[in-house]
Amino acid sequence: MIVRFGLLGAGRIGKVHAKAVTANPKARLVAVADAMPQAAADLAGQYGAEVRTIEAIEAAADIDAVIICTPTDTHADLIERFARAGKAIFCEKPIDLDVERVKACLKVVDAEGATLMVGFNRRFDPHFQAVKAAIAEGQIGAVEMVTIVSRDPGAPPADYVKRSGGIFRDMTIHDLDMARFLLGEEIDTVSAQASVLVDKAIGAAGDYDSASLMLFTASGKHATISNSRRATYGYDQRIEVHGSRGAVAAENQRPVSIEIASASGYTRPPLHDFFMTRYTEAYAREISAFIDCVESKSPASPSGADGLIAVALADAALKSVEEGRAVKVSEITGPLADKSVFQGR
Amino acid sequence: MIVRFGLLGAGRIGKVHAKAVTANPKARLVAVADAMPQAAADLAGQYGAEVRTIEAIEAAADIDAVIICTPTDTHADLIERFARAGKAIFCEKPIDLDVERVKACLKVVDAEGATLMVGFNRRFDPHFQAVKAAIAEGQIGAVEMVTIVSRDPGAPPADYVKRSGGIFRDMTIHDLDMARFLLGEEIDTVSAQASVLVDKAIGAAGDYDSASLMLFTASGKHATISNSRRATYGYDQRIEVHGSRGAVAAENQRPVSIEIASASGYTRPPLHDFFMTRYTEAYAREISAFIDCVESKSPASPSGADGLIAVALADAALKSVEEGRAVKVSEITGPLADKSVFQGR
Amino acid sequence: MIVRFGLLGAGRIGKVHAKAVTANPKARLVAVADAMPQAAADLAGQYGAEVRTIEAIEAAADIDAVIICTPTDTHADLIERFARAGKAIFCEKPIDLDVERVKACLKVVDAEGATLMVGFNRRFDPHFQAVKAAIAEGQIGAVEMVTIVSRDPGAPPADYVKRSGGIFRDMTIHDLDMARFLLGEEIDTVSAQASVLVDKAIGAAGDYDSASLMLFTASGKHATISNSRRATYGYDQRIEVHGSRGAVAAENQRPVSIEIASASGYTRPPLHDFFMTRYTEAYAREISAFIDCVESKSPASPSGADGLIAVALADAALKSVEEGRAVKVSEITGPLADKSVFQGR
Amino acid sequence: MIVRFGLLGAGRIGKVHAKAVTANPKARLVAVADAMPQAAADLAGQYGAEVRTIEAIEAAADIDAVIICTPTDTHADLIERFARAGKAIFCEKPIDLDVERVKACLKVVDAEGATLMVGFNRRFDPHFQAVKAAIAEGQIGAVEMVTIVSRDPGAPPADYVKRSGGIFRDMTIHDLDMARFLLGEEIDTVSAQASVLVDKAIGAAGDYDSASLMLFTASGKHATISNSRRATYGYDQRIEVHGSRGAVAAENQRPVSIEIASASGYTRPPLHDFFMTRYTEAYAREISAFIDCVESKSPASPSGADGLIAVALADAALKSVEEGRAVKVSEITGPLADKSVFQGR
């Protein structure tokens, strides 16, 4: 089976997915839509796809699935439209910045029986998958403490920050999902502290650029997250899991593995410059996993529920910063009907 | 000048100091006291020192300085006695488990003009000193985030735990001091979460064996600490400092640096088995620094004030766990007269 | 421009090139030929190419270039045929096992003005290219000593060994080319020692499975090569260059960069399992470089002359083993008309 | 038992041994002799020893053992004198630059039944000992290929070079001994190439500063050695052993294990600056092993025979450079009566 794709949004992340789709022998990029006609035409032209409107993609018989890479505030609406149109949906995170809107959206997805995968690409990174596999094989015993260091190479412009929902919903959300993925148990409370150390314009926009988080599960497992919007040494992406019988860690990645020795020491090059080069393989595997879901009609993972919880964790972090206390996730989500979000993994 | 030492306490840490003193060409171990006469005799005999009572050491004309390695609940009393006796004092951490008792003790030290160094040995580790030096040289710019991972190879017996004052005052206290040392700014709030994952007997004794901490300064700098009482892979002691222009990290240490490759992978040996082997060089340098203080009559560092603040930070951590909120250090200490504890470093 | 390719040979290395060609946006795989019709059909089918005979490819107007992956004893004949047919030629190493046959072949290439690139894929590995770049930028000063460790994960079957021309012409040839590439000066003498330590069947077939080589240039630069046909820990591929101002090294590569810590130590996974996974990126860059040559009609590098010298170095190594002495390369090649094989790099 | 030492020679290496002896609880430094009275007085004074003449040490009843650190051309004579005087002897390498003189000296040692240990300190390095232990435990199967990289941080003055016997007898001799130690089988042939790349004055003095060696055993095991007199990045001391079931390597050592990350990459400090700091622990263990020999009256290892063979290997290397061929060690030594130099290890 070949899965025929429509791509909604031809921006930075849209290009990443277009490349992953066209390199996959089980996928075909049929159409690209974008509010900027030139952007759509350029990307479509590069890969021999057509430019179409969103409406046309919605109605098309030759489209099996869509990839939603449009601005965040359009995600939930588009998910609902394409769920109703009977297309399989891959949506970039977050589903929405508002937890209630996410819940409403997921009800539609559920009612329509649509396939929805949320774009937590890092779960598909081969190194992080190897960490997860080591845990699953029992190599470190019971998971006890997850440590995530996640730092961007440079801060985004302050007006991006405004639209993004802030550092927790935009950046930390990936780490929150990764922490859940690795803990293997729902997070009960979130404690966070945040400050502006990198760029005052970010503070002026009402956001933070430096944050620390502690996550705690009901059984007493820990996770910590360290975020900064600026690491001069490159895109710093490390995870480490300590367990009852050992520990497993994924090291940082760099484009080339050389070391130069001189009178001033031994130097290896900086890390990857950002997610497009760091997670190239993760994006390819992510689309491949989505295609497998579409083909096998099996539940997608990460699911809509994963997307919901990640947003709730981000909200809990923000509330913790504001109130100087540990915030229960259930304060944000209310009681969740489906507790079994870890099923199937 | 040769500094002539009396050693109070011939237990595990007493032996470590006896070795450091006798290997130092500027020091001489004159006398050993211990409540267990045989322990005192064995250690004194090994290094050609005499067995004496504490009273005799207090009165001795041939003793310039004492090293206090007795049980914690005797520290403050002994510091006061030897301050009055005109001896220079090196005291193992903590000064006391009670902040008010520490304050009272430090008043006596101050009134007597005594030299008092508190045993935060890790400040003298060559690798950590190199981290500190890199910061001082401006190699990473302004310090923003300190990350400390500190895990013991195995849990202590539950009845040790009871006497010790709990994980924060016994184990984390070293990391709290290191965080202050590296942040270069006083800690304003402490958030902590803790659980019992390693040994239920520790829980039954009212303590925790797994803890995470977030520290925050007035200017918005962060530090995180990850503690566990059990790391199967050895004594895990890592520090990392992220700054505006870069980062610096001290790697874990192992007894031998070999790597064995086979069909199952590339394996390096486990880490050091505990602090006696991991911090051998730190203990030697610590005593050497103390001797320099005695010789030059300059203020000791880490000082009594450093010892006080470390205990207060540990108390704040415990309070944070109990109350589920960020605790201000000033809630514990009250207003501190001397804010300038970072002077001289 | 799109370069249209005919692929001669659908075996293991043919598949590697088919993948690289079809993934390259500037290339198209038009036809596949193989003595085994089913092999040709399978590979052609996978990538939407046609099955054709060699004769048909030779005569085809819709083929710009060929990739020769047939058995070694057909390389020189095919190069000559396709040079005469006006096609650009990429040929797997070696051109021929006989230096005189190589020379004769290169005369035809030269007379026809054909583009010929020889498949020393490692020159295109991003890590090794970064080593070369560091040298070119003067980061290690003048090159003095090149150290190459190159070990296969497992020994080939003895009857492959017979056809291959022996370890020096089959395996070491890559390292000899790499040594030349990095030394930046022609090799003057070769000393080698070799033995059978891995598989007696290899010895029975008249070959060796373990070899050491020392190379020496006229100006006194050194290179050493260590080869084994069996490394239990994976495909061991390291290079290191020591110079007057420093050194540069390329580390081994593994599929995932994780480390698992336990009571038995810290373990990273084995290396890549062989060249197909280790040099995936190198093969892609190699074809890309070849396409650039075809497009720009510039001289190919590695050239036919590079292929000739590599075979001569392998012959010199064998002669050194047989005679227990340092062998001058000129004993094998005779005087070379074109000394300037390093030009253009 | 306390072994009472006389130290002959108060130069650079004499100081290293004085420190190791005085730090060892089973040893006492009784007397120091040196042709320069002030040097002897300074070193003796530092450790509370006496200055004596060689004759006085020879005759002394309160001296059990001597450490010979005088110039090389006095070693053999002094060994003979102290063997006859009934003292245990530790002698710095080499015993003599002339193989025949070494043989004659060892006959005297043998006739007197004296204990003689030769100072191949690297055998006592904890990291290299761990490599040896891994081999002995069968972790890498049968040893097949030993790779030694050994580079000094800077070239010695040309007039030192003249006295030293040249690079092979002065510097490579350590690596030759290490290769034998790790191969576990006698070396049959030596091939070497050498050049002057670092300092022309060394060439003018008739020596080389850059050398490569290949060693070969009768059963076909390989060793390679890479030597340079100048490594800007510090004292480069690596060994690696490849075997039938795996490989083991000892990494380079540096004074502190930190890493600084910045926009220009990840930098670790240079290596140790030379053997005094790199091999501090090896020197301590070496003296400790010698004391054990004296105490237990067991044969010393490395023995006089080890010293003899190392010199012969160095001679073979020089001959190989001069004659451009693989040189059999037996060409240098003649038939050796005692083939069992590997016994007891």
Side-chain angles (χ1 to χ4, degrees), chain D residues 9-10 32-46 49-52:
Chain D
V32 177
D34 196 287
M36 315 275 278
Q38 192 57 48
D42 286 352
L43 191 57
Q46 183 179 350
E50 292 174 24
V51 175
R52 295 191 192 165

Side-chain angles (χ1 to χ4, degrees), chain B residues 63-327:
Chain B
I63 301 270
D64 305 306
V66 291
I67 298 176
I68 302 177
C69 308
T70 51
T72 295
D73 57 8
T74 67
H75 287 183
D77 289 349
L78 288 171
I79 289 171
E80 291 177 359
R81 278 173 68 175
F82 282 91
R84 289 180 178 121
K87 308 299 188 200
I89 305 156
F90 177 95
C91 184
E92 266 305 311
K93 60 88 212 169
I95 295 174
D96 195 88
L97 298 179
D98 182 79
V99 164
E100 294 309 316
R101 181 70 191 88
V102 176
K103 282 184 174 176
C105 174
L106 296 185
K107 270 187 198 156
V108 175
V109 171
D110 197 41
E112 298 292 339
T115 292
L116 170 64
M117 183 184 282
V118 177
F120 290 117
N121 59 299
R122 295 185 197 169
R123 291 196 186 197
F124 300 95
D125 176 68
H127 312 287
F128 297 169
Q129 288 192 324
V131 166
K132 180 77 175 169
I135 295 168
E137 291 158 11
Q139 297 206 45
I140 66 163
V143 168
E144 294 179 354
M145 310 186 111
V146 171
T147 306
I148 298 177
V149 174
S150 172
R151 297 180 182 130
D152 284 354
D159 74 288
Y160 169 84
V161 158
K162 274 181 206 169
R163 281 178 287 117
S164 72
I167 189 169
F168 294 117
R169 291 189 191 105
D170 177 52
M171 179 180 174
T172 317
I173 194 169
H174 279 292
D175 307 307
L176 291 163
D177 180 68
M178 183 53 63
R180 278 184 71 232
F181 182 59
L182 296 173
L183 283 169
E185 179 185 341
E186 285 302 338
I187 290 158
D188 188 55
T189 65
V190 177
S191 302
Q193 61 189 31
S195 55
V196 178
L197 299 172
V198 174
D199 184 356
K200 285 179 183 172
I202 289 176
D207 196 11
Y208 307 101
D209 54 34
S210 303
S212 301
L213 293 90
M214 294 191 308
L215 314 175
F216 206 50
T217 71
S219 77
K221 298 184 196 300
H222 300 239
T224 60
I225 297 172
S226 177
N227 285 151
S228 169
R229 284 290 198 182
R230 180 249 300 112
T232 58
Y233 40 90
Y235 189 40
D236 188 5
Q237 296 283 291
R238 285 171 284 161
I239 61 173
E240 186 178 311
V241 188
H242 169 86
S244 58
R245 289 182 47 217
V248 56
E251 299 164 15
N252 262 320
Q253 299 294 315
R254 38 176 58 81
V256 290
S257 299
I258 67 165
E259 189 165 47
I260 297 178
S262 73
S264 49
Y266 280 66
T267 302
R268 292 181 295 160
L271 307 177
H272 278 291
D273 57 1
F274 215 178
F275 62 88
M276 289 83 79
T277 50
R278 169 62 184 83
Y279 289 119
T280 306
E281 180 65 17
Y283 285 113
R285 292 185 181 209
E286 183 181 51
I287 285 299
S288 182
F290 179 66
I291 291 168
D292 288 349
C293 276
V294 174
E295 201 171 27
S296 64
K297 300 186 190 302
S298 58
S301 173
S303 66
D306 292 323
L308 169 63
I309 293 176
V311 172
L313 290 167
D315 282 7
L318 188 58
K319 196 179 184 79
S320 175
V321 170
E322 288 164 351
E323 304 184 2
R325 65 177 180 89
V327 172

Side-chain angles (χ1 to χ4, degrees), chain C residues 143-145 147 149 151 189 191-198 210-216 219-228 230-233 236 238 240 242-247 320 324-327, chain D residues 143-145 147 149 151 189 191-198 210-216 219-228 230-233 236 238 240 242-247 320 324-327:
Chain C
V143 168
E144 294 178 355
M145 308 186 112
T147 305
V149 174
R151 295 178 184 134
T189 64
S191 301
Q193 62 190 31
S195 55
V196 178
L197 299 172
V198 174
S210 304
S212 302
L213 292 89
M214 294 191 308
L215 314 176
F216 205 49
S219 76
K221 296 182 196 305
H222 299 240
T224 59
I225 297 171
S226 178
N227 285 150
S228 170
R230 181 250 299 112
T232 60
Y233 39 90
D236 188 5
R238 285 172 285 162
E240 186 179 311
H242 169 86
S244 58
R245 291 183 45 218
S320 175
R325 64 178 181 90
V327 172
Chain D
V143 168
E144 293 177 356
M145 308 186 113
T147 306
V149 174
R151 297 180 183 131
T189 63
S191 302
Q193 62 190 31
S195 54
V196 179
L197 299 172
V198 174
S210 303
S212 301
L213 292 90
M214 295 190 307
L215 313 177
F216 206 49
S219 77
K221 296 183 198 304
H222 299 240
T224 59
I225 297 170
S226 178
N227 285 150
S228 169
R230 181 248 300 111
T232 58
Y233 40 90
D236 188 6
R238 286 172 284 162
E240 186 179 311
H242 168 86
S244 58
R245 290 182 45 217
S320 174
R325 65 178 180 90
V327 172

Side-chain angles (χ1 to χ4, degrees), chain C residues 192-278:
Chain C
Q193 62 190 31
S195 55
V196 178
L197 299 172
V198 174
D199 183 356
K200 284 181 184 170
I202 289 175
D207 196 11
Y208 308 100
D209 53 36
S210 304
S212 302
L213 292 89
M214 294 191 308
L215 314 176
F216 205 49
T217 71
S219 76
K221 296 182 196 305
H222 299 240
T224 59
I225 297 171
S226 178
N227 285 150
S228 170
R229 285 287 199 183
R230 181 250 299 112
T232 60
Y233 39 90
Y235 188 42
D236 188 5
Q237 296 283 292
R238 285 172 285 162
I239 61 174
E240 186 179 311
V241 187
H242 169 86
S244 58
R245 291 183 45 218
V248 56
E251 298 164 16
N252 262 320
Q253 300 295 314
R254 39 176 57 80
V256 290
S257 298
I258 67 166
E259 189 165 48
I260 297 176
S262 73
S264 49
Y266 280 66
T267 301
R268 293 182 294 160
L271 307 177
H272 278 292
D273 57 1
F274 215 179
F275 61 90
M276 288 85 78
T277 50
R278 169 64 184 84

Side-chain angles (χ1 to χ4, degrees), chain A:
Chain A
M1 176 187 181
I2 300 290
V3 177
R4 297 162 300 174
F5 278 89
L7 176 68
L8 315 184
R12 188 169 64 170
I13 189 69
K15 284 172 189 160
V16 168
H17 289 304
K19 189 175 168 189
V21 165
T22 52
N24 191 308
K26 299 173 83 176
R28 191 142 55 85
L29 182 63
V30 173
V32 176
D34 197 286
M36 314 275 278
Q38 192 58 48
D42 286 353
L43 192 57
Q46 185 179 350
Y47 292 109
E50 293 174 22
V51 176
R52 295 191 193 166
T53 62
I54 287 179
E55 291 70 24
I57 292 173
E58 212 175 346
D62 64 346
I63 300 271
D64 305 307
V66 291
I67 298 175
I68 301 176
C69 307
T70 51
T72 295
D73 57 7
T74 67
H75 287 182
D77 289 349
L78 288 172
I79 289 172
E80 291 177 359
R81 276 172 70 174
F82 282 92
R84 288 181 179 122
K87 309 299 188 198
I89 305 155
F90 178 95
C91 183
E92 267 305 312
K93 61 90 209 167
I95 295 176
D96 195 271
L97 298 179
D98 181 79
V99 164
E100 294 310 314
R101 181 68 190 91
V102 176
K103 281 183 175 177
C105 173
L106 295 184
K107 269 187 198 156
V108 175
V109 171
D110 197 40
E112 298 292 337
T115 292
L116 170 64
M117 183 184 281
V118 177
F120 290 118
N121 59 299
R122 295 185 197 169
R123 291 196 186 197
F124 300 95
D125 177 68
H127 313 286
F128 296 169
Q129 287 191 324
V131 167
K132 180 77 175 170
I135 295 168
E137 290 158 10
Q139 296 205 47
I140 66 164
V143 168
E144 293 177 356
M145 309 186 111
V146 171
T147 307
I148 298 176
V149 174
S150 172
R151 297 180 183 131
D152 284 355
D159 72 288
Y160 169 85
V161 157
K162 275 181 205 169
R163 282 178 287 118
S164 73
I167 188 169
F168 294 117
R169 293 188 191 106
D170 176 53
M171 178 180 174
T172 318
I173 194 168
H174 279 292
D175 307 308
L176 291 164
D177 181 68
M178 183 54 64
R180 279 184 71 231
F181 182 59
L182 296 172
L183 284 168
E185 181 186 339
E186 285 302 337
I187 290 158
D188 189 53
T189 64
V190 177
S191 302
Q193 63 190 28
S195 54
V196 177
L197 299 172
V198 175
D199 183 356
K200 284 179 183 172
I202 289 176
D207 195 12
Y208 307 100
D209 54 36
S210 304
S212 301
L213 293 91
M214 294 191 307
L215 315 176
F216 205 48
T217 71
S219 76
K221 297 183 197 303
H222 300 239
T224 59
I225 297 171
S226 178
N227 286 151
S228 170
R229 285 288 197 184
R230 181 250 299 110
T232 58
Y233 40 89
Y235 189 41
D236 189 5
Q237 295 283 292
R238 285 171 286 161
I239 60 174
E240 186 178 310
V241 188
H242 169 85
S244 58
R245 291 181 47 218
V248 56
E251 299 163 15
N252 262 320
Q253 300 294 314
R254 39 176 57 80
V256 289
S257 300
I258 67 164
E259 191 166 44
I260 297 177
S262 73
S264 50
Y266 280 67
T267 301
R268 293 181 293 159
L271 308 178
H272 278 292
D273 57 2
F274 214 0
F275 62 89
M276 288 85 77
T277 50
R278 169 64 184 82
Y279 288 121
T280 306
E281 179 65 18
Y283 285 113
R285 291 185 181 210
E286 183 181 51
I287 285 298
S288 181
F290 178 64
I291 291 168
D292 288 349
C293 276
V294 174
E295 199 171 28
S296 65
K297 300 185 188 303
S298 58
S301 172
S303 66
D306 291 324
L308 170 64
I309 295 175
V311 172
L313 290 167
D315 282 7
L318 188 58
K319 198 179 182 78
S320 175
V321 169
E322 287 163 351
E323 304 184 3
R325 64 177 181 90
V327 172
K328 280 203 153 266
V329 182
S330 59
E331 297 179 41
I332 309 294
T333 58
L336 284 175
D338 179 10
K339 293 292 191 191
S340 57
V341 291
F342 278 103
Q343 282 184 352
R345 264 185 274 140

